[in-house]
Amino acid sequence: MSTRWPPILAILAGGILGAAQIGKVPAAMTTIGAEFGLGLAGAALLVSLFALMAALGGLAIGLAAARIGPNRALLAGLGLGAVAALAAALAPGAAALLAARVAEGAGFLLLTVAAPGLIAGLATARDRATAMAIWGAYMPLGVALGLASAPLVAAFGWRVAWAGLAALLAVAGIACWRMVPRAPVAATGAFQPMGQQVRALVAARRPLQVASAFATYNIMYLGIAAFLPARLESLGAGTGMAGVAAAVAALANAGGNLASGALMARGVAAERLVVAGALAMSVTAAGVYLVPSAIAATALAVLACGVGGLVPASCFAILPRAVPSPALVAPAVGLVMQGNNLAQLLAPPAIGALAAIAWPLAALPLLAAGLLAALAGRALTR
């Protein structure tokens, strides 16, 4: 059997379009905040509420996805995400918009929990690491796409830009419905009771360490992705240019993901890449909020996202071999996503509140998160 790349790429497209629903918010944050009177910290809730469902029930969703099958979970997530994204574009007020963001986050969680198991089943053993590294780039590529909507926001308004992204997500859902097999190519083993699965994940320890590394990395990544446009605007850049600069930084993160896959193929341990990427990202990301120049801040953001991209791809590579059985892959992904989205729920309002006082204060949580991610990576090497 050869690797089935077309359905893998269809799943990747779904992940990218799902992640674009995160990146679209920073591109329009100041515009929406002004329209609804939310302010910077209030507008940051549009980022963090996307993560609410995953922060509260990521592990439970992962266990449920394993029960209903990853294909059904994938399609349900894409469908819910597309409907909720359109509802967000049509929201008449702040409350409806925030509720739509919660629904978008639920759809995205289903998608991201189901995708890794499907991709692993569609790839041969020889290509599996490459396929997982490619999947690891879904977030930065999607965020870059969402950020690239900034010129559309400036020209036509945020509602038009968001409706367009909702339509693209629906198209990705149709592609996955047509191309992805209705059952995993590789069997995942017999189901265990949910309580037994949870105990097995905790006993394995390494899934918890991967979740910790991924969550603290995400604090740094969101510290750039969610606030770089506003930071550059505070330094004199225009809305359109600030969004494009943030998109370039997100693309650099995708490059880091792919570089991580190449390094692992050459024999570099994924655990060591987590440590190196986390430490380098923490220093450079913090610098974004300390330098007084828009050009310097952009350069540091691109560098931070590039070296930081070593972390997520390495975590995805570690995860399938961190669980004691293939049946625990989806629950382990759910656990990682729960920690990741808990950070996404709490970090943007906290960073936004610090930035509202003074931009240099936003550097503090990024430095702390980088240290914690490096410590989690170090624990994985033992």
Side-chain angles (χ1 to χ4, degrees):
M1 184 191 75
S2 59
T3 296
R4 303 179 67 175
W5 288 110
I8 288 175
L9 294 177
I11 296 170
L12 176 62
I16 290 171
L17 268 301
Q21 312 310 316
I22 300 174
K24 71 184 182 183
V25 175
M29 185 180 292
T30 55
T31 302
I32 294 174
E35 179 175 335
F36 293 125
L38 296 174
L40 183 60
L45 283 173
L46 295 173
V47 178
S48 61
L49 281 179
F50 190 88
L52 180 62
M53 290 298 294
L56 297 178
L59 177 57
I61 292 293
L63 292 166
R67 294 276 174 172
I68 67 174
N71 183 271
R72 289 180 180 177
L74 175 76
L75 297 179
L78 287 166
L80 175 59
V83 171
L86 180 60
L90 300 175
L97 180 58
L98 293 173
R101 290 296 290 169
V102 175
E104 283 184 273
F108 186 64
L109 174 61
L110 280 168
L111 158 65
T112 52
V113 165
L118 282 169
I119 292 173
L122 291 164
T124 62
R126 184 185 65 181
D127 294 333
R128 192 162 294 136
T130 300
M132 296 306 292
I134 291 173
W135 166 250
Y138 81 92
M139 179 67 81
L141 288 174
V143 171
L145 179 60
L147 288 167
S149 69
L152 289 177
V153 172
F156 303 106
W158 67 273
R159 294 182 186 274
V160 172
W162 284 26
L165 289 172
L168 290 175
L169 184 58
V171 171
I174 293 171
C176 287
W177 174 61
R178 294 294 301 272
M179 298 174 66
V180 179
R182 294 188 179 276
V185 174
T188 57
F191 287 116
Q192 299 172 323
M194 289 188 177
Q196 187 175 343
Q197 288 181 306
V198 173
R199 288 192 294 272
L201 286 176
V202 173
R205 293 177 55 188
R206 286 174 64 83
L208 299 176
Q209 294 164 347
V210 174
S212 298
F214 202 92
T216 45
Y217 153 80
N218 198 45
I219 292 174
M220 294 186 289
Y221 181 72
L222 284 171
I224 296 176
F227 294 100
L228 181 60
R231 170 59 172 163
L232 295 179
E233 288 175 22
S234 75
L235 294 173
T239 300
M241 289 302 300
V244 170
V248 172
L251 287 174
N253 188 257
N257 275 265
L258 298 177
S260 179
L263 290 169
M264 286 186 285
R266 292 177 176 271
V268 180
E271 294 82 357
R272 295 188 181 278
L273 292 174
V274 171
V275 176
L279 289 176
M281 187 180 191
S282 65
V283 175
T284 49
V288 171
Y289 299 105
L290 298 175
V291 297
S293 162
I295 295 176
T298 299
L300 284 169
V302 170
L303 180 59
C305 288
V307 295
L310 299 174
V311 178
S314 299
C315 287
F316 277 117
I318 294 168
L319 197 58
R321 50 187 171 84
V323 294
S325 73
L328 291 175
V329 172
V333 175
L335 175 66
V336 170
M337 296 308 296
Q338 180 157 351
N340 177 63
N341 284 276
L342 183 61
Q344 186 174 327
L345 180 66
L346 299 176
I351 296 173
L354 290 171
I357 298 171
W359 279 109
L361 292 178
L364 297 177
L366 306 187
L367 287 169
L371 177 60
L372 292 173
L375 289 174
R378 177 63 178 168
L380 285 166
T381 63
R382 296 169 186 165

